[in-house]
């Protein structure tokens, strides 16, 4: 029998009991039956208390598990956030390095173009000087062959003496 059933029986015992004459709020009860019911409550109380303690323990266990799960979820979320921030930092660093590399490559290409232009201009000047010297040598040889001075060849009109007669250029 549960404590609730025993308490219901005690309540019923009071309802069925007769009132004391001239005092309606006092009742005459079967004392032995009331003692039996009180003893039943005492006997059943440990069982009911054990049930309540077990329920309380289960509630605490459930709350502790929920707290541990919540802490685990928070820790995982913080780790994930740190990973995302770390990845963003890596991406930003990679972008910065890429921009730096492009800038250096563009600068190197510009320097290479300038150096190439200077080298080509020097080669052309060297070639021009080479051909100018050769032209002077050719004019000197021609002057010796034709008997005309090199100054006359450069100052003369566009006609050139040839063993085959005057030829216009």
């Amino acid at each position: 029998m549960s404590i609730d059933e025993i308490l219901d029986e005690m309540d019923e015992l009071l309802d069925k009991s007769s009132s004391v004459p001239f005092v309606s709020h006092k009742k005459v009860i079967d004392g032995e039956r009331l003692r039996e019911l009180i003893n039943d409550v005492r006997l059943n109380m440990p069982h009911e208390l054990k049930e309540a303690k077990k329920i309380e323990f289960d509630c605490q266990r459930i709350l502790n598990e929920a707290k541990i799960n919540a802490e685990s979820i928070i820790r995982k979320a913080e780790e994930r956030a740190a990973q995302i921030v770390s990845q963003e930092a890596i991406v930003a660093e990679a972008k910065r390095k890429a921009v730096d590399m492009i800038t250096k490559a563009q600068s190197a290409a510009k320097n290479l173009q300038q150096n190439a232009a200077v080298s080509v201009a020097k080669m052309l000047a060297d070639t021009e000087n080479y051909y100018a010297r050769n032209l002077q040598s050719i004019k000197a040889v021609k002057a010796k062959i034709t008997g005309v001075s090199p100054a006359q060849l450069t100052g003369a009109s566009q006609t050139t003496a040839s063993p085959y007669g005057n030829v216009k250029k």
Side-chain angles (χ1 to χ4, degrees), residues 24-115:
S24 63
H25 68 280
K26 294 190 178 187
K27 303 260 182 176
V28 177
I29 333 176
D30 180 359
E32 279 188 40
R33 179 66 186 139
L34 185 59
R35 263 201 214 286
E36 285 176 11
L37 292 173
I38 290 173
N39 284 336
D40 284 346
V41 167
R42 285 188 180 131
L43 288 175
N44 284 315
M45 192 165 308
H47 172 72
E48 297 288 330
L49 287 175
K50 286 178 186 173
E51 291 272 333
K53 286 180 181 178
K54 183 179 176 185
I55 290 171
E56 182 184 7
F57 175 78
D58 286 344
C59 285
Q60 282 299 324
R61 182 184 53 80
I62 290 169
L63 286 174
N64 287 338
E65 285 177 7
K67 184 179 177 182
I68 290 169
N69 284 342
E71 289 171 354
S72 173
I73 290 170
I74 290 170
R75 187 174 50 254
K76 286 178 183 176
E78 288 172 345
E79 289 172 359
R80 181 68 179 135
Q83 280 181 333
I84 290 171
V85 167
S86 174
Q87 287 175 348
E88 287 177 7
I90 290 170
V91 167
E93 179 66 17
K95 284 181 180 178
R96 187 190 62 73
K97 284 184 177 179
V99 167
D100 193 35
M101 289 172 66
I102 289 171
T103 303
K104 286 179 182 176
Q106 287 173 339
S107 177
K110 186 176 180 180
N111 286 340
L112 188 60
Q113 285 175 338
Q114 288 173 348
N115 290 341

Side-chain angles (χ1 to χ4, degrees), residues 128-141:
E128 184 179 16
N129 289 336
Y130 174 78
Y131 282 116
R133 281 192 312 269
N134 284 338
L135 181 60
Q136 287 174 355
S137 294
I138 291 171
K139 284 182 181 180
V141 169

